[in-house]
Amino acid sequence: MPPTKFSLAEKFSRISEYYTPKIVAELNGQHVKLAKLKGPFVWHHHEREDELFFVVRGTLRMEFRDGAVEVGPGECIVVPRGVEHRPVADEEVHLLLLEPVGTLNTGNVRGEKTVERVEWV
Amino acid sequence: MPPTKFSLAEKFSRISEYYTPKIVAELNGQHVKLAKLKGPFVWHHHEREDELFFVVRGTLRMEFRDGAVEVGPGECIVVPRGVEHRPVADEEVHLLLLEPVGTLNTGNVRGEKTVERVEWV
């Protein structure tokens, strides 16, 4: 059997909770995840992981300690390891994430928004 | 200065050659690349690299030795290392690729379609 394809829209349709990333692909030690966001997240950074955010729907405001960047549909931003950031979604945002296997969504800050066990969708 | 964002559409607008992937991001030892495809590529595989193909525009037919998969806009397919494949684009396709730094576009088959030095766009 050849590899199977998947549709981002179909995967997003199966996600109901905000700030609960789900895995859609694994390759080369990396996970591709999808997430729906609404409201502010927590300030955090990742010690060893760079993260790519690709906005599929809505506008994500990525806050940094030295400024904020508005990332709209079809736009990407890479947050390098060690850089503090806080995603904020004033309206619902659909996001594709790329990061190493095992990356914790809240990075160095464990709390109520931490997803300890990321599931596939 | 905070990290900068980029737009896929703007990056695609700067690509004129077919089957000439360009780098748009590097993170965790991986490259995110964009490519425009038209016509058939060459059969090949990658010894050590898994590849993700995300179709932004058009329909990609990914041929495998045991079947073909049509991948449309908003759809993804992961080709695991070692699996022979041939991308075919009957009409123009805009593609996002994710693969390890240093991945050769023609994998195990060096030829006229091989891009030895992949540039950023």
Side-chain angles (χ1 to χ4, degrees):
Chain A
M1 288 284 290
T4 54
K5 67 175 179 178
F6 60 90
S7 151
L8 293 196
E10 193 275 328
K11 296 290 190 187
F12 274 119
S13 76
R14 293 159 58 189
I15 298 175
S16 52
E17 294 170 285
Y18 293 123
Y19 286 108
T20 307
K22 302 286 186 184
I23 302 163
V24 293
E26 179 173 342
L27 67 163
N28 307 304
Q30 315 296 307
H31 272 155
V32 180
K33 298 173 183 171
L34 302 184
K36 290 181 178 176
L37 279 53
K38 196 167 184 184
F41 200 53
V42 293
W43 280 103
H44 68 282
H45 70 271
H46 304 273
E47 286 295 340
R48 287 178 298 272
E49 299 99 350
D50 313 315
E51 282 186 307
L52 180 142
F53 298 79
F54 171 55
V55 174
V56 174
R57 181 185 298 187
T59 299
L60 173 68
R61 187 169 72 253
M62 188 63 82
E63 297 183 353
F64 300 97
R65 293 301 187 185
D66 56 353
V69 181
E70 302 259 339
V71 188
E75 295 181 336
C76 287
I77 192 166
V78 174
V79 179
R81 59 194 71 186
V83 174
E84 269 199 300
H85 58 286
R86 183 173 83 134
V88 179
D90 292 328
E91 305 290 338
E92 184 171 302
V93 167
H94 293 191
L95 195 65
L96 181 150
L97 287 151
L98 171 63
E99 53 195 19
V101 170
T103 302
L104 204 63
N105 64 329
T106 56
N108 63 317
V109 181
R110 271 197 155 82
E112 60 177 24
K113 289 211 154 92
T114 302
V115 177
E116 297 284 351
R117 188 185 184 86
V118 183
E119 295 178 342
W120 283 72
V121 69
Chain B
M1 289 283 290
T4 53
K5 67 175 179 178
F6 60 90
S7 151
L8 293 196
E10 194 275 327
K11 296 290 191 187
F12 274 120
S13 76
R14 294 159 58 189
I15 298 175
S16 51
E17 293 169 285
Y18 294 123
Y19 285 108
T20 308
K22 302 285 186 184
I23 302 163
V24 293
E26 179 173 340
L27 68 163
N28 307 305
Q30 314 297 308
H31 272 154
V32 180
K33 299 174 184 171
L34 301 183
K36 291 183 179 175
L37 279 53
K38 196 168 183 183
F41 200 54
V42 293
W43 280 103
H44 68 285
H45 71 272
H46 303 272
E47 285 296 340
R48 285 178 300 273
E49 299 100 351
D50 311 316
E51 284 185 306
L52 180 141
F53 298 79
F54 171 55
V55 173
V56 175
R57 182 184 298 186
T59 299
L60 174 67
R61 186 170 72 254
M62 189 64 83
E63 297 183 352
F64 301 97
R65 293 303 187 185
D66 56 353
V69 181
E70 302 259 337
V71 188
E75 295 181 336
C76 286
I77 192 166
V78 174
V79 179
R81 61 194 71 187
V83 174
E84 269 199 301
H85 57 286
R86 183 173 84 136
V88 178
D90 292 329
E91 304 291 338
E92 183 171 301
V93 167
H94 294 192
L95 197 64
L96 181 150
L97 287 153
L98 170 63
E99 54 193 20
V101 170
T103 302
L104 204 63
N105 65 328
T106 56
N108 63 317
V109 181
R110 271 197 155 83
E112 61 176 25
K113 289 211 154 95
T114 302
V115 177
E116 297 284 351
R117 188 184 184 87
V118 183
E119 296 178 342
W120 284 71
V121 70

